[in-house]
Amino acid sequence: MAETAWEWDETLYAGSARHYSVGRWPYPRELAETIGSALDLDGTGHLLDVGCGPGSLTLLLAPLFEVAVGVDADRDMLTEAQRWASEAGVITVEWRHLRAEELPADLGTFRVATFAQSYHWMDRPLVARRVRDMLAPDGAWVHVSANTHQGVNGDDRLPYPRPPWPQIDELVARYLGPIRRAGRGALPAGTPGGEAEIMLAAGFAGPTRLTVEQGMVVERSVDEVTSAVFSLSSSAPHLFGDRLPAFEADLRDLLTTAARDGLFAERRQDVGVTIWRP
């Protein structure tokens, strides 16, 4: 594939939404406690979760606010979010299908805006300016940095083998090529950095950085790791086209061989929280 400037398109996570509930860990309860304590949240005000996906963070934080709004560009993600909210009995969240670049979209003023594993997919300078204007004077922008599909690398002893992530990456590359795929484009150098410079240029102050420590060991099945792979933009189901059944068969063969009694173990990674003030 020729290397061209990457542009977002609606296929970025096509087919991935249903894999989130199986293949990705939920954010820990301690994350809500950390954010709530840092921002003195008391059940009032409005939350805006931008790039909310299936509502993983939105639903965790919703009890800390009067109303929450989850925004995402993927309809399937919002369908999952609505399902999760219904199952959890959460009725204080509104889900909106739109891109972050379309904000403010007459949504109003918010006490907190959150971005969890989503900001790097956006026109970051534009979104930073627009969301800053949507925040109350005493509001906050919260960036949650996490890896919820894969555990910590290491050689410490675990009760089951770790998933063979290097071999999984090699298998994906055999089917999709060595350059990371993303929607209809590619990201030869990965997703961009430089968030701090963008936020400061947009007029934000900070940041304050916090860490929610994890470290617990969790067991994972072949099905769970398979869904973890399909939950990624770089190996979203649509990318494989008519080769999807063959890829999944090869992936499951790899995992079944590497597992013990059908199980793996991983140590969960810490979650980072970065707070900016308007």
Side-chain angles (χ1 to χ4, degrees):
M1 175 179 293
E3 295 186 14
T4 58
W6 182 81
E7 294 184 1
W8 179 90
D9 70 78
E10 67 279 0
T11 70
L12 183 60
Y13 280 96
S16 293
R18 66 184 181 85
H19 290 284
Y20 265 66
S21 61
V22 179
R24 296 220 181 189
W25 295 305
Y27 291 113
R29 182 180 64 256
E30 292 81 4
L31 176 59
E33 295 170 355
T34 296
I35 293 173
S37 176
L39 300 181
D40 295 322
L41 302 178
D42 57 4
T44 63
H46 292 193
L47 166 69
L48 176 66
D49 189 18
V50 186
C52 65
S56 312
L57 183 64
T58 328
L59 296 174
L60 179 69
L61 299 182
L64 302 177
F65 297 87
E66 180 183 356
V67 174
V69 178
V71 168
D72 202 273
D74 188 302
R75 286 190 183 277
D76 290 342
M77 289 290 185
L78 294 178
T79 297
E80 285 294 291
Q82 290 168 336
R83 180 176 68 82
W84 290 15
S86 178
E87 291 177 357
V90 177
I91 60 174
T92 58
V93 180
E94 175 187 354
W95 307 103
R96 294 290 298 272
H97 178 238
L98 53 85
R99 293 189 64 195
E101 290 82 355
E102 298 176 81
L103 294 170
D106 296 323
L107 292 179
T109 301
F110 293 85
R111 184 172 183 178
V112 176
T114 51
F115 293 75
Q117 304 182 74
S118 62
Y119 188 43
H120 54 282
W121 296 121
M122 303 169 188
D123 180 335
R124 296 179 298 161
L126 174 64
V127 172
R129 294 191 301 270
R130 292 190 174 180
V131 171
R132 182 176 182 271
D133 290 342
M134 298 173 71
L135 290 171
D138 60 347
W141 168 304
V142 178
H143 186 126
V144 174
S145 177
N147 188 332
T148 54
H149 82 280
Q150 180 178 349
V152 178
N153 292 326
D155 55 8
D156 53 315
R157 189 174 180 83
L158 300 179
Y160 291 95
R162 287 178 167 84
W165 288 108
Q167 290 76 24
I168 292 171
D169 292 342
E170 291 171 4
L171 180 63
V172 171
R174 271 176 35 206
Y175 275 83
L176 301 181
I179 298 175
R180 176 178 173 175
R181 300 282 296 277
R184 297 191 183 98
L187 290 169
T191 54
E195 176 189 320
E197 292 80 3
I198 292 169
M199 298 298 288
L200 292 170
F204 283 89
T208 299
R209 301 186 189 276
L210 306 170
T211 300
V212 179
E213 296 183 355
Q214 295 287 278
M216 74 280 289
V217 174
V218 294
E219 296 178 4
R220 310 190 77 183
S221 68
V222 168
D223 284 346
E224 288 170 337
V225 178
T226 298
S227 280
V229 173
F230 285 136
S231 75
L232 301 172
S233 62
S234 56
S235 49
H238 77 96
L239 292 173
F240 298 92
D242 58 10
R243 302 181 74 194
L244 178 60
F247 171 77
E248 182 169 353
D250 285 346
L251 175 60
R252 287 183 177 275
D253 284 346
L254 170 64
L255 295 176
T256 299
T257 300
R260 190 173 78 245
D261 299 327
L263 292 174
F264 299 100
E266 291 196 272
R267 190 178 301 279
R268 291 187 57 171
Q269 299 193 31
D270 295 345
V271 179
V273 177
T274 305
I275 300 173
W276 294 90
R277 297 286 187 171

Coordinates of all heavy atoms in Angstrom, one line a residue, residues 120-156:
H120 N -6.3 10.7 19.6 CA -5.3 10.6 18.5 C -6.0 10.4 17.2 O -5.3 10.5 16.2 CB -4.3 9.5 18.8 CG -4.9 8.2 19.1 ND1 -5.5 7.9 20.3 CD2 -5.1 7.1 18.4 CE1 -6.0 6.6 20.3 NE2 -5.7 6.1 19.1
W121 N -7.2 10.0 17.1 CA -7.9 9.8 15.9 C -8.6 11.1 15.3 O -9.2 11.1 14.3 CB -9.0 8.8 16.0 CG -8.6 7.4 16.4 CD1 -8.9 6.7 17.5 CD2 -7.7 6.6 15.6 NE1 -8.3 5.5 17.5 CE2 -7.5 5.4 16.4 CE3 -7.0 6.7 14.4 CZ2 -6.7 4.3 15.9 CZ3 -6.2 5.7 14.0 CH2 -6.0 4.5 14.7
M122 N -8.4 12.2 16.0 CA -9.1 13.4 15.7 C -8.2 14.5 15.1 O -7.0 14.4 15.2 CB -9.8 13.9 17.0 CG -10.8 12.9 17.6 SD -11.3 13.5 19.2 CE -12.2 12.0 19.8
D123 N -8.9 15.5 14.6 CA -8.1 16.8 14.2 C -7.9 17.5 15.6 O -8.7 18.2 16.1 CB -9.0 17.6 13.3 CG -8.3 18.9 12.9 OD1 -7.4 19.4 13.6 OD2 -8.7 19.5 11.8
R124 N -6.8 17.2 16.2 CA -6.6 17.5 17.6 C -6.6 19.0 17.9 O -7.3 19.5 18.8 CB -5.4 16.9 18.1 CG -5.5 15.3 18.1 CD -4.2 14.7 18.6 NE -3.1 15.0 17.8 CZ -1.8 14.9 18.2 NH1 -1.5 14.4 19.4 NH2 -0.8 15.2 17.3
P125 N -5.9 19.9 17.1 CA -6.0 21.3 17.3 C -7.4 21.9 17.3 O -7.9 22.7 18.1 CB -5.1 21.9 16.3 CG -4.1 20.8 15.9 CD -5.0 19.6 16.0
L126 N -8.2 21.4 16.2 CA -9.6 21.9 16.1 C -10.4 21.4 17.3 O -11.2 22.2 17.8 CB -10.1 21.3 14.8 CG -11.6 21.6 14.5 CD1 -11.9 23.1 14.4 CD2 -12.1 20.9 13.3
V127 N -10.3 20.2 17.6 CA -11.2 19.6 18.7 C -10.8 20.3 20.0 O -11.7 20.6 20.8 CB -11.0 18.1 18.8 CG1 -11.7 17.5 20.0 CG2 -11.6 17.5 17.5
A128 N -9.5 20.5 20.2 CA -9.1 21.2 21.5 C -9.7 22.5 21.6 O -10.2 22.9 22.7 CB -7.6 21.3 21.6
R129 N -9.7 23.3 20.6 CA -10.3 24.7 20.6 C -11.8 24.6 20.9 O -12.4 25.4 21.7 CB -10.0 25.4 19.3 CG -8.5 25.7 19.1 CD -8.4 26.7 18.0 NE -8.9 26.3 16.7 CZ -8.2 25.5 15.8 NH1 -6.9 25.2 16.1 NH2 -8.7 25.2 14.7
R130 N -12.5 23.7 20.1 CA -13.9 23.6 20.2 C -14.4 23.1 21.6 O -15.4 23.6 22.2 CB -14.5 22.8 19.1 CG -14.3 23.5 17.7 CD -15.1 22.8 16.6 NE -15.0 23.5 15.4 CZ -15.5 23.2 14.3 NH1 -16.2 22.1 14.2 NH2 -15.4 23.9 13.2
V131 N -13.7 22.1 22.1 CA -14.1 21.6 23.4 C -13.8 22.5 24.5 O -14.6 22.7 25.5 CB -13.5 20.2 23.6 CG1 -13.7 19.7 25.1 CG2 -14.1 19.2 22.6
R132 N -12.7 23.3 24.4 CA -12.4 24.3 25.4 C -13.5 25.3 25.6 O -13.9 25.7 26.7 CB -11.1 25.0 25.1 CG -10.7 26.0 26.1 CD -9.3 26.6 25.8 NE -8.9 27.6 26.8 CZ -9.2 28.9 26.8 NH1 -9.9 29.4 25.8 NH2 -8.8 29.7 27.8
D133 N -14.1 25.7 24.4 CA -15.2 26.7 24.5 C -16.5 26.1 25.1 O -17.4 26.8 25.4 CB -15.5 27.2 23.1 CG -14.4 28.1 22.5 OD1 -13.6 28.6 23.3 OD2 -14.3 28.2 21.3
M134 N -16.6 24.7 25.1 CA -17.7 24.1 25.7 C -17.6 23.8 27.2 O -18.6 23.4 27.8 CB -18.0 22.7 25.0 CG -18.2 22.8 23.5 SD -18.3 21.2 22.7 CE -19.8 20.6 23.3
L135 N -16.5 24.1 27.8 CA -16.3 23.8 29.2 C -16.6 25.0 30.0 O -16.4 26.2 29.6 CB -14.8 23.4 29.5 CG -14.3 22.1 28.9 CD1 -12.8 21.9 29.1 CD2 -15.1 20.9 29.6
A136 N -17.2 24.7 31.2 CA -17.4 25.8 32.2 C -16.1 26.4 32.6 O -15.0 25.7 32.5 CB -18.2 25.2 33.4
P137 N -16.1 27.6 33.1 CA -14.8 28.3 33.5 C -14.0 27.5 34.5 O -12.8 27.5 34.5 CB -15.3 29.6 34.1 CG -16.6 29.9 33.4 CD -17.2 28.6 33.2
D138 N -14.7 26.7 35.4 CA -14.0 25.9 36.4 C -14.0 24.4 35.9 O -13.8 23.5 36.7 CB -14.7 26.0 37.7 CG -16.1 25.6 37.7 OD1 -16.7 25.4 36.6 OD2 -16.7 25.4 38.8
G139 N -14.2 24.2 34.6 CA -14.3 22.8 34.1 C -12.9 22.2 33.9 O -11.9 22.7 34.3
A140 N -12.9 21.0 33.3 CA -11.7 20.3 33.1 C -11.8 19.3 31.9 O -12.9 18.8 31.6 CB -11.4 19.4 34.3
W141 N -10.7 19.2 31.2 CA -10.5 18.2 30.1 C -9.7 17.1 30.8 O -8.7 17.3 31.4 CB -9.7 18.8 29.0 CG -9.2 18.0 27.9 CD1 -8.3 16.9 28.1 CD2 -9.4 18.1 26.5 NE1 -8.0 16.4 26.9 CE2 -8.6 17.1 25.9 CE3 -10.1 19.0 25.8 CZ2 -8.6 16.9 24.5 CZ3 -10.0 18.9 24.4 CH2 -9.3 17.9 23.8
V142 N -10.2 15.8 30.6 CA -9.5 14.7 31.2 C -9.2 13.7 30.1 O -10.1 13.2 29.3 CB -10.4 14.0 32.2 CG1 -9.7 12.7 32.8 CG2 -10.8 14.9 33.4
H143 N -7.9 13.4 29.9 CA -7.4 12.4 29.0 C -7.1 11.1 29.7 O -6.3 11.1 30.6 CB -6.2 12.9 28.2 CG -5.7 12.0 27.1 ND1 -5.5 12.5 25.9 CD2 -5.4 10.7 27.1 CE1 -5.1 11.5 25.1 NE2 -5.0 10.4 25.8
V144 N -7.8 10.0 29.4 CA -7.5 8.7 30.0 C -6.6 7.9 29.0 O -7.0 7.7 27.9 CB -8.8 8.0 30.3 CG1 -8.5 6.6 30.8 CG2 -9.6 8.8 31.4
S145 N -5.5 7.6 29.5 CA -4.5 6.8 28.7 C -4.5 5.4 29.2 O -4.1 5.2 30.4 CB -3.1 7.4 28.7 OG -2.2 6.7 28.0
A146 N -4.8 4.4 28.4 CA -4.9 3.0 28.9 C -4.7 2.0 27.8 O -4.8 2.4 26.6 CB -6.3 2.8 29.5
N147 N -4.4 0.8 28.1 CA -4.3 -0.3 27.2 C -5.2 -1.4 27.8 O -4.8 -2.1 28.7 CB -2.9 -0.8 27.0 CG -2.8 -1.8 25.9 OD1 -3.7 -2.5 25.6 ND2 -1.6 -1.9 25.3
T148 N -6.4 -1.5 27.2 CA -7.4 -2.4 27.8 C -7.5 -3.7 27.1 O -8.4 -4.6 27.4 CB -8.8 -1.7 27.9 OG1 -9.2 -1.2 26.6 CG2 -8.8 -0.6 28.9
H149 N -6.7 -3.9 26.0 CA -6.8 -5.2 25.3 C -5.6 -6.1 25.5 O -5.7 -7.3 25.2 CB -6.9 -4.9 23.8 CG -5.5 -4.6 23.1 ND1 -4.9 -3.4 23.2 CD2 -4.7 -5.4 22.4 CE1 -3.8 -3.4 22.6 NE2 -3.6 -4.7 22.1
Q150 N -4.5 -5.6 26.2 CA -3.3 -6.3 26.3 C -2.7 -6.0 27.6 O -2.7 -4.9 28.1 CB -2.4 -6.0 25.1 CG -1.1 -6.8 25.2 CD -0.2 -6.5 24.0 OE1 -0.6 -5.8 23.0 NE2 1.1 -6.9 24.0
G151 N -2.1 -7.0 28.2 CA -1.4 -6.8 29.5 C 0.0 -6.4 29.4 O 0.5 -6.1 28.4
V152 N 0.7 -6.3 30.6 CA 2.0 -5.9 30.7 C 3.0 -7.0 30.2 O 2.8 -8.1 30.4 CB 2.4 -5.6 32.2 CG1 3.8 -5.2 32.3 CG2 1.4 -4.6 32.8
N153 N 4.0 -6.5 29.4 CA 5.0 -7.5 29.0 C 5.9 -7.8 30.2 O 6.1 -7.0 31.1 CB 5.9 -6.9 27.9 CG 5.1 -6.7 26.6 OD1 4.3 -7.5 26.2 ND2 5.4 -5.6 25.8
G154 N 6.4 -9.0 30.2 CA 7.3 -9.4 31.3 C 7.5 -10.9 31.3 O 7.0 -11.6 30.5
D155 N 8.5 -11.3 32.2 CA 8.8 -12.7 32.3 C 8.5 -13.2 33.7 O 9.0 -14.3 34.1 CB 10.2 -12.9 31.9 CG 11.2 -12.1 32.8 OD1 10.8 -11.4 33.7 OD2 12.4 -12.1 32.4
D156 N 7.7 -12.4 34.5 CA 7.4 -12.9 35.8 C 6.4 -14.1 35.7 O 5.7 -14.2 34.7 CB 6.7 -11.8 36.7 CG 5.6 -11.1 36.0 OD1 5.7 -10.8 34.8 OD2 4.5 -10.9 36.6

